[in-house]
Amino acid sequence: MPKSLLILQPEGKRLKATVGKAILEIAQEAGVDIQSVCAGKGICGKCRVIVRTGSEFLSQASKVERTVFSDDEVKKGYRLACRAIIVKSGTITVEVPSESRAGLQRLLVSGVETSVEFEPSVRKYLVEVGRPTLMEPRSDVDRLLDSLSVQGERRIERICLDALRRIPHAVRSGERKVTVTVWENKEVISVEAGDKQTKLYGFAVDVGTTKLAGYLVDLDLGTTVAAASSMNPQIPYGEDVISRISFVMKDPKGLSQLQALIIKEINKLIFEACKRAHVTPGQVHEVTVVGNTAMHHIFFGIYPGYVALAPYPTVLRSSIDVKAKDLGIDINPCGNVHGLPVIAGFVGADAVADILATQMHASDDVAMMIDIGTNTEIVVGDRNKLTACSCASGPAFEGAHIKNGMRAATGAIERVYIDPDTFKIGYETVDNAKPSGVCGSGVVDAVAEMLKRRVIDSSGKIKTKLGLPNISVKNGIPELVLAGPSETASGHEIVVTQEDIRQIQLAKAAIFSGISVLMRQLEITTRDISKIFFAGAFGTYVDPQSARVIGMYPDVPLSRVQFVGNAAGSGARMALMSLKMRRKAGEISEKVHYIELGADANFQNEFLNATFLPHKNLELFPSVKRLLED
Ligand code: FES
């Protein structure tokens, strides 16, 4: 056992406490899940731990920690794991409280189902390969290609080496019957002895910043046979895209490290889905991948650094095809990995897949798609014109930068209700567990309820003089108490503070001002919008009425709002099942007109007006106006 020991509680994990390293760094290297929204920069205040013993072996509490924690908390041993550096050898025991855990996040797999013309890029042929003769000793490959051309497959340009190596044995067994898998009518990617026509599968994966969702598709029948999902293993290196890109920029090995993590995790998903469907990974012949531009670039091992620097260029916009073995993806080694095209630095292949899944590009009526995340992608338009932008809505909807915020994991308060007569708080938590924090949809509900009950005004200010229960002022900061100490998992109360409300105002203003800029570009008004699609996890769990009350999206009737779940995953499946959809994805990526909000002269103004609840111009929200007047 090392003399210098870091013991992480409650699991009792014993790690080597290397002098010079921060607790967060050691924990992350060991795969311990501690929230680190700002990637260890000491800004987000989410990596809270409690030092139980051995504080003398750690650096003194920093200035930033003294502002994050009250004197009482400092006395109790609270530290930020990213700021607590081991300065001397010794044994340190640290507790990682439940609110600092990234936790078991609810993973969204299902998405809108859109039917496609079934035309996968891989096809199997059963051919009979004749014997060579002394009179005509033609090569195995020539005879195999002859048989393929009899079946109409005449455009073969090459044979993948791994498939080539299997030919001599395959054509001489299985009664000379051979199953040949051809990719895009031009490459032989697999040769198997006998009739294996029904064993043809593909895998579609959506690589999100937070989570991954994968789907195993039977490419013979066109059906999804299994799904698997997991958290993105890159989270310990930063919870948002920018933190991950800065990790890659700072560390020369960062890109290969993050790429290796994501490939390993996708291989796990493929294995898991195959196991469930009684399929072997070798029977998977193609993978389609979508993700935001940074995730896309990192997956393919493409340096994403310039994506984060103005004017935010992508390295590659069009689609990409790579051999599975070159990426280390564990399917048939000659199988193809197809990355859908991206649109811009902050509007990626996931947005292209969202558009495919919602079919906005083919609609006669104007539709809007909002995929809410740390960066929210918005697309507005119809078959004639589509415009898109990305707004820095920040991580507040993911529960970050919120005092008691957490992601939508077990114990997160996800629904809030304020009784109009008694002002008592009602709430629901994920998995009905004891509350351990509040997630994005819970905070949005809380703000909307406070506005409806006039606990806050349109500037978001909490009214402290009304003498309402559940409103208190701590250290001069007003807050709404959602759950008291006796109700919560940690024994600490869960609150929504004045500053949390501010964070939600800024986040929703970023989205609404982005929408306003796009609508102005298209010269349309709220009345022209026939449909609003909400995509992604937050967009699925947020209450649409609460989101409208706070002014997150234009005031359309709720019947026009449609939740499309993991539409990006659906789009990835569509591209897996249909070459036509793949071509459409290419057209979409070229057609969508990207608007850089920072370059729009009115954006700042739009943003300021949108920070009000629901908006400075209440006439834009007639239904909310009526509600408030009632
Ligand atoms: S404050 Fe430590 S990770 Fe953000």
Side-chain angles (χ1 to χ4, degrees):
M1 265 294 157
K3 270 194 284 167
S4 198
L5 209 57
L6 174 65
I7 304 171
L8 294 183
Q9 301 292 21
E11 59 267 73
K13 209 162 197 153
R14 297 160 90 80
L15 307 168
K16 184 171 181 239
T18 312
V19 172
K21 283 195 175 182
I23 290 176
L24 180 69
E25 204 183 343
I26 298 170
Q28 286 180 335
E29 281 169 2
V32 176
D33 203 13
I34 298 182
Q35 289 201 53
S36 57
V37 182
C38 69
K41 295 197 197 93
I43 302 168
C44 69
K46 291 289 165 202
C47 60
R48 300 151 73 101
V49 293
I50 308 157
V51 178
R52 294 295 183 203
T53 65
S55 59
E56 66 273 30
F57 305 120
L58 291 167
S59 58
Q60 295 288 312
S62 61
K63 206 166 152 194
V64 59
E65 289 172 285
R66 272 188 238 114
T67 52
V68 168
F69 300 116
S70 64
D71 289 347
D72 194 37
E73 284 175 321
V74 171
K75 260 189 234 145
K76 283 182 181 153
Y78 274 85
R79 299 290 309 260
L80 290 177
C82 68
R83 300 289 103 177
I85 301 184
I86 294 161
V87 289
K88 267 192 274 172
S89 295
T91 299
I92 306 157
T93 310
V94 167
E95 183 187 331
V96 185
S98 62
E99 62 266 26
S100 298
R101 301 272 179 179
L104 286 172
Q105 194 179 9
R106 188 161 47 184
L107 298 165
L108 179 69
V109 177
S110 58
V112 62
E113 290 292 336
T114 309
S115 59
V116 291
E117 209 173 287
F118 187 52
E119 186 199 4
S121 71
V122 280
R123 267 190 79 179
K124 284 200 168 190
Y125 295 90
L126 181 65
V127 295
E128 203 166 328
V129 183
R131 291 170 203 276
T133 64
L134 283 173
M135 299 298 288
E136 213 177 344
R138 304 188 70 224
S139 73
D140 291 352
V141 168
D142 286 343
R143 292 183 341 268
L144 183 123
L145 292 182
D146 281 351
S147 307
L148 265 181
S149 83
V150 169
Q151 297 216 16
E153 196 56 276
R154 297 191 183 90
R155 285 169 290 168
I156 302 297
E157 292 167 8
R158 55 184 182 268
I159 302 176
C160 173
L161 185 58
D162 188 79
L164 183 62
R165 286 174 176 154
R166 291 171 195 270
I167 290 179
H169 301 299
V171 297
R172 287 171 180 81
S173 50
E175 294 171 339
R176 299 209 159 254
K177 284 205 169 72
V178 172
T179 304
V180 183
T181 309
V182 176
W183 176 69
E184 286 210 342
N185 305 101
K186 60 186 179 201
E187 183 179 15
V188 171
I189 59 168
S190 167
V191 176
E192 300 160 274
D195 184 354
K196 305 280 167 49
Q197 285 180 96
T198 55
K199 310 282 183 197
L200 183 60
Y201 294 89
F203 194 75
V205 61
D206 168 30
V207 182
T209 315
T210 309
K211 60 200 177 298
L212 312 179
Y215 310 84
L216 183 68
V217 177
D218 183 328
L219 292 179
D220 191 37
L221 302 170
T223 50
T224 303
V225 292
S229 62
S230 67
M231 299 297 288
N232 187 324
Q234 299 168 344
I235 290 173
Y237 298 88
E239 296 206 355
D240 58 50
V241 163
I242 296 294
S243 305
R244 277 191 228 160
I245 294 179
S246 32
F247 175 72
V248 169
M249 290 168 89
K250 268 194 290 183
D251 187 332
K253 289 194 191 135
L255 176 57
S256 52
Q257 211 172 326
L258 293 190
Q259 188 198 19
L261 280 172
I262 204 72
I263 300 275
K264 193 173 163 203
E265 195 64 27
I266 290 174
N267 282 339
K268 263 201 233 164
L269 294 186
I270 294 173
F271 182 79
E272 202 182 300
C274 284
K275 198 170 155 203
R276 266 185 223 153
H278 307 291
V279 168
T280 63
Q283 290 166 340
V284 178
H285 286 77
E286 189 165 52
V287 172
T288 51
V289 184
V290 300
N292 61 51
T293 306
M295 291 303 109
H296 166 281
H297 280 28
I298 292 171
F299 170 78
F300 285 105
I302 299 169
Y303 182 72
Y306 301 105
V307 169
L309 302 173
Y312 320 109
T314 60
V315 176
L316 169 83
R317 186 196 50 76
S318 54
S319 63
I320 177 171
D321 291 293
V322 182
K323 283 268 169 272
K325 64 178 173 205
D326 293 340
L327 282 169
I329 291 289
D330 289 339
I331 58 167
N332 181 302
C334 295
N336 181 56
V337 178
H338 178 85
L340 269 75
V342 303
I343 293 171
F346 287 97
V347 183
D350 48 355
V352 172
D354 281 336
I355 296 170
L356 261 190
T358 54
Q359 294 283 290
M360 292 176 69
H361 63 287
S363 163
D364 288 325
D365 302 317
V366 175
M368 178 180 293
M369 193 279 302
I370 311 174
D371 196 338
I372 300 169
T374 309
N375 274 295
T376 295
E377 287 101 32
I378 305 165
V379 185
V380 188
D382 57 17
R383 66 185 324 138
N384 300 313
K385 193 171 180 190
L386 284 171
T387 58
C389 69
S390 166
C391 17
S393 42
F397 295 134
E398 313 256 350
H401 294 186
I402 298 293
K403 186 171 181 193
N404 294 134
M406 63 184 285
R407 293 189 306 219
T410 303
I413 294 179
E414 57 171 344
R415 286 276 171 270
V416 174
Y417 172 75
I418 301 179
D419 188 296
D421 300 320
T422 62
F423 285 92
K424 275 200 176 141
I425 308 278
Y427 58 79
E428 284 171 24
T429 62
V430 175
D431 299 332
N432 288 325
K434 263 195 161 191
S436 11
V438 55
C439 65
S441 62
V443 190
V444 168
D445 263 7
V447 177
E449 287 291 297
M450 283 195 265
L451 185 67
K452 275 165 33 187
R453 309 291 173 238
R454 296 173 183 271
V455 178
I456 54 175
D457 60 23
S458 71
S459 74
K461 201 162 169 251
I462 298 180
K463 298 175 188 169
T464 49
K465 302 222 169 92
L466 300 177
L468 297 174
N470 303 312
I471 296 288
S472 59
V473 179
K474 284 228 184 75
N475 300 327
I477 300 169
E479 59 188 30
L480 172 76
V481 181
L482 296 181
S486 59
E487 302 162 63
T488 65
S490 63
H492 297 296
E493 60 184 13
I494 295 171
V495 299
V496 172
T497 68
Q498 184 67 71
E499 183 49 31
D500 296 341
I501 297 170
R502 186 73 194 147
Q503 291 298 331
I504 292 297
Q505 284 174 275
L506 295 176
K508 75 97 187 174
I511 295 174
F512 191 80
S513 49
I515 291 173
S516 304
V517 170
L518 294 190
M519 286 173 65
R520 187 161 27 80
Q521 286 276 340
L522 289 170
E523 297 177 342
I524 58 167
T525 65
T526 303
R527 246 180 282 149
D528 298 312
I529 301 167
S530 66
K531 201 87 181 161
I532 295 185
F533 299 109
F534 268 110
F538 175 78
T540 299
Y541 298 117
V542 69
D543 181 87
Q545 188 158 13
S546 294
R548 191 176 61 180
V549 166
I550 68 164
M552 192 187 294
Y553 64 90
D555 193 348
V556 298
L558 293 181
S559 57
R560 288 193 210 164
V561 175
Q562 188 182 335
F563 293 99
V564 288
N566 188 1
S570 304
R573 267 185 296 162
M574 290 163 75
L576 182 64
M577 288 193 280
S578 165
L579 279 171
K580 189 175 166 195
M581 285 299 125
R582 233 174 263 197
R583 289 189 291 272
K584 283 279 168 224
E587 286 167 27
I588 290 167
S589 141
E590 277 177 33
K591 179 179 169 182
V592 175
H593 178 54
Y594 174 70
I595 309 265
E596 179 52 51
L597 293 177
D600 186 279
N602 285 319
F603 177 69
Q604 274 311 324
N605 227 0
E606 298 274 13
F607 180 79
L608 287 176
N609 291 339
T611 55
F612 285 84
L613 296 167
H615 193 274
K616 189 167 183 191
N617 179 5
L618 197 53
E619 300 307 318
L620 287 176
F621 287 85
S623 80
V624 184
K625 189 179 173 198
R626 276 196 304 277
L627 191 76
L628 296 179
E629 280 166 1
D630 279 351

